[in-house]
Short mmCIF file of all heavy atoms in Angstrom, two decimals:
data_model
loop_
_atom_site.label_atom_id
_atom_site.label_comp_id
_atom_site.label_asym_id
_atom_site.label_seq_id
_atom_site.Cartn_x
_atom_site.Cartn_y
_atom_site.Cartn_z
N PRO A 435 63.77 1.45 19.97
CA PRO A 435 63.59 2.80 20.45
C PRO A 435 62.43 3.51 19.70
O PRO A 435 62.33 3.42 18.45
CB PRO A 435 64.92 3.49 20.14
CG PRO A 435 65.80 2.50 19.47
CD PRO A 435 65.11 1.20 19.41
N VAL A 441 53.11 -5.69 25.09
CA VAL A 441 53.66 -6.73 25.93
C VAL A 441 52.69 -7.89 25.96
O VAL A 441 51.51 -7.74 26.33
CB VAL A 441 53.81 -6.18 27.39
CG1 VAL A 441 54.32 -7.29 28.32
CG2 VAL A 441 54.80 -5.02 27.37
N TYR A 491 66.43 -21.98 39.45
CA TYR A 491 66.83 -20.62 39.07
C TYR A 491 66.73 -20.33 37.59
O TYR A 491 66.68 -19.21 37.15
CB TYR A 491 68.27 -20.30 39.59
CG TYR A 491 69.33 -21.32 39.23
CD1 TYR A 491 69.90 -21.32 37.97
CD2 TYR A 491 69.75 -22.29 40.14
CE1 TYR A 491 70.90 -22.24 37.61
CE2 TYR A 491 70.71 -23.21 39.83
CZ TYR A 491 71.27 -23.22 38.55
OH TYR A 491 72.18 -24.13 38.23
N ALA A 522 67.38 -24.68 26.08
CA ALA A 522 66.05 -24.39 26.61
C ALA A 522 65.64 -22.99 26.16
O ALA A 522 64.59 -22.49 26.62
CB ALA A 522 66.01 -24.52 28.08
N ALA A 526 72.27 -17.58 27.84
CA ALA A 526 73.12 -17.91 28.99
C ALA A 526 74.62 -17.78 28.59
O ALA A 526 74.98 -17.97 27.42
CB ALA A 526 72.87 -19.36 29.38
N SER A 531 87.89 -18.81 34.82
CA SER A 531 89.30 -18.63 34.42
C SER A 531 89.70 -19.40 33.18
O SER A 531 90.67 -19.06 32.51
CB SER A 531 90.17 -19.00 35.61
OG SER A 531 89.77 -20.27 36.06
N VAL A 638 62.97 -28.11 51.88
CA VAL A 638 63.79 -29.31 51.96
C VAL A 638 63.06 -30.47 51.36
O VAL A 638 61.98 -30.88 51.83
CB VAL A 638 64.11 -29.63 53.48
CG1 VAL A 638 65.03 -30.84 53.59
CG2 VAL A 638 64.83 -28.44 54.13
N GLN A 659 82.11 -59.73 40.48
CA GLN A 659 80.86 -59.10 40.93
C GLN A 659 80.61 -57.80 40.15
O GLN A 659 79.52 -57.46 39.81
CB GLN A 659 80.91 -58.84 42.44
CG GLN A 659 80.68 -60.12 43.26
CD GLN A 659 80.88 -59.80 44.75
OE1 GLN A 659 82.02 -59.59 45.20
NE2 GLN A 659 79.83 -59.86 45.53
N TYR A 675 83.59 -47.31 41.11
CA TYR A 675 84.50 -46.65 42.01
C TYR A 675 85.33 -47.66 42.78
O TYR A 675 84.76 -48.68 43.27
CB TYR A 675 83.77 -45.79 43.01
CG TYR A 675 83.26 -44.49 42.46
CD1 TYR A 675 81.89 -44.21 42.31
CD2 TYR A 675 84.17 -43.49 42.07
CE1 TYR A 675 81.46 -43.04 41.78
CE2 TYR A 675 83.69 -42.29 41.55
CZ TYR A 675 82.31 -42.07 41.41
OH TYR A 675 81.90 -40.88 40.88
N THR A 678 91.86 -47.55 45.41
CA THR A 678 93.19 -47.15 45.08
C THR A 678 93.40 -47.13 43.59
O THR A 678 92.63 -47.69 42.84
CB THR A 678 94.24 -48.12 45.68
OG1 THR A 678 94.10 -49.36 45.01
CG2 THR A 678 94.04 -48.30 47.14
N GLU A 718 79.51 -40.03 25.42
CA GLU A 718 78.99 -41.36 25.13
C GLU A 718 79.83 -42.21 24.20
O GLU A 718 79.37 -43.11 23.53
CB GLU A 718 77.55 -41.32 24.60
CG GLU A 718 76.59 -40.81 25.67
CD GLU A 718 75.14 -40.86 25.21
OE1 GLU A 718 74.88 -41.33 24.10
OE2 GLU A 718 74.30 -40.44 26.01
N VAL A 722 81.88 -47.19 30.33
CA VAL A 722 82.16 -47.39 31.71
C VAL A 722 83.49 -46.74 32.10
O VAL A 722 84.49 -46.84 31.37
CB VAL A 722 82.23 -48.89 32.07
CG1 VAL A 722 82.52 -49.06 33.59
CG2 VAL A 722 80.94 -49.57 31.73
N PRO A 793 91.66 -35.45 68.11
CA PRO A 793 90.76 -36.49 68.68
C PRO A 793 89.35 -36.41 68.20
O PRO A 793 88.69 -37.42 67.90
CB PRO A 793 90.85 -36.27 70.17
CG PRO A 793 92.09 -35.40 70.38
CD PRO A 793 92.37 -34.72 69.10
N ILE A 806 78.70 -46.23 57.66
CA ILE A 806 78.72 -46.85 56.30
C ILE A 806 78.77 -48.36 56.39
O ILE A 806 78.14 -49.05 55.60
CB ILE A 806 79.81 -46.24 55.37
CG1 ILE A 806 79.65 -46.73 53.96
CG2 ILE A 806 81.20 -46.56 55.86
CD1 ILE A 806 78.39 -46.26 53.25
N LEU A 827 61.85 -39.53 57.18
CA LEU A 827 61.11 -40.73 57.41
C LEU A 827 61.02 -41.54 56.12
O LEU A 827 60.96 -40.92 55.03
CB LEU A 827 59.71 -40.42 57.89
CG LEU A 827 59.59 -39.84 59.27
CD1 LEU A 827 58.17 -39.39 59.56
CD2 LEU A 827 60.02 -40.89 60.31
N ALA A 862 75.92 -66.22 65.48
CA ALA A 862 76.85 -65.23 66.01
C ALA A 862 77.65 -65.82 67.19
O ALA A 862 78.82 -65.67 67.27
CB ALA A 862 76.10 -63.99 66.45
N ARG A 875 94.75 -64.00 68.39
CA ARG A 875 96.10 -64.12 67.81
C ARG A 875 96.05 -64.44 66.32
O ARG A 875 97.09 -64.65 65.71
CB ARG A 875 96.91 -65.17 68.59
CG ARG A 875 97.31 -64.68 69.98
CD ARG A 875 98.30 -65.63 70.63
NE ARG A 875 97.57 -66.79 71.18
CZ ARG A 875 97.95 -68.05 70.89
NH1 ARG A 875 98.98 -68.27 70.08
NH2 ARG A 875 97.27 -69.04 71.39
N ALA A 894 96.27 -77.29 62.35
CA ALA A 894 96.58 -78.59 62.88
C ALA A 894 97.69 -78.45 63.93
O ALA A 894 97.69 -79.06 65.03
CB ALA A 894 97.03 -79.54 61.77
N ALA A 913 82.27 -67.96 52.14
CA ALA A 913 81.92 -66.60 51.72
C ALA A 913 80.90 -66.01 52.79
O ALA A 913 81.07 -64.88 53.25
CB ALA A 913 81.23 -66.58 50.38
N TYR A 935 99.81 -57.64 61.09
CA TYR A 935 98.71 -58.50 60.58
C TYR A 935 97.48 -58.14 61.33
O TYR A 935 97.52 -58.01 62.56
CB TYR A 935 99.07 -59.97 60.82
CG TYR A 935 100.35 -60.39 60.17
CD1 TYR A 935 101.48 -60.55 60.97
CD2 TYR A 935 100.41 -60.57 58.81
CE1 TYR A 935 102.69 -60.94 60.38
CE2 TYR A 935 101.62 -60.93 58.21
CZ TYR A 935 102.78 -61.12 59.02
OH TYR A 935 103.93 -61.48 58.44
N CYS A 948 77.62 -63.67 73.92
CA CYS A 948 77.75 -65.13 74.15
C CYS A 948 76.95 -65.54 75.42
O CYS A 948 76.59 -66.67 75.55
CB CYS A 948 79.22 -65.47 74.28
SG CYS A 948 80.08 -65.42 72.73
N VAL A 960 70.96 -64.43 49.38
CA VAL A 960 70.10 -65.51 48.87
C VAL A 960 70.59 -65.88 47.50
O VAL A 960 70.68 -65.01 46.62
CB VAL A 960 68.62 -65.08 48.84
CG1 VAL A 960 67.77 -66.19 48.29
CG2 VAL A 960 68.17 -64.61 50.19
N ARG A 968 59.39 -63.93 31.58
CA ARG A 968 58.03 -63.45 31.52
C ARG A 968 57.39 -63.99 30.29
O ARG A 968 57.91 -63.89 29.17
CB ARG A 968 58.01 -61.90 31.45
CG ARG A 968 58.09 -61.32 32.85
CD ARG A 968 57.50 -59.97 32.84
NE ARG A 968 58.50 -59.07 32.29
CZ ARG A 968 58.26 -57.73 32.14
NH1 ARG A 968 57.12 -57.27 32.48
NH2 ARG A 968 59.21 -56.96 31.66
N ALA A 973 54.23 -60.35 29.08
CA ALA A 973 55.35 -60.12 28.16
C ALA A 973 54.89 -59.43 26.91
O ALA A 973 55.53 -58.50 26.42
CB ALA A 973 56.04 -61.42 27.85
N HIS A 1009 67.53 -36.24 26.26
CA HIS A 1009 67.79 -37.29 27.25
C HIS A 1009 67.35 -38.64 26.70
O HIS A 1009 66.53 -38.70 25.79
CB HIS A 1009 66.95 -37.03 28.52
CG HIS A 1009 67.55 -35.98 29.42
ND1 HIS A 1009 67.03 -35.77 30.65
CD2 HIS A 1009 68.57 -35.18 29.28
CE1 HIS A 1009 67.71 -34.79 31.24
NE2 HIS A 1009 68.65 -34.41 30.39
#
Side-chain angles (χ1 to χ4, degrees):
V441 178
Y491 51 80
S531 51
V638 181
Q659 285 173 291
Y675 283 113
T678 66
E718 293 186 2
V722 180
I806 187 66
L827 291 171
R875 287 190 284 127
Y935 303 104
C948 289
V960 178
R968 275 203 282 180
H1009 280 188

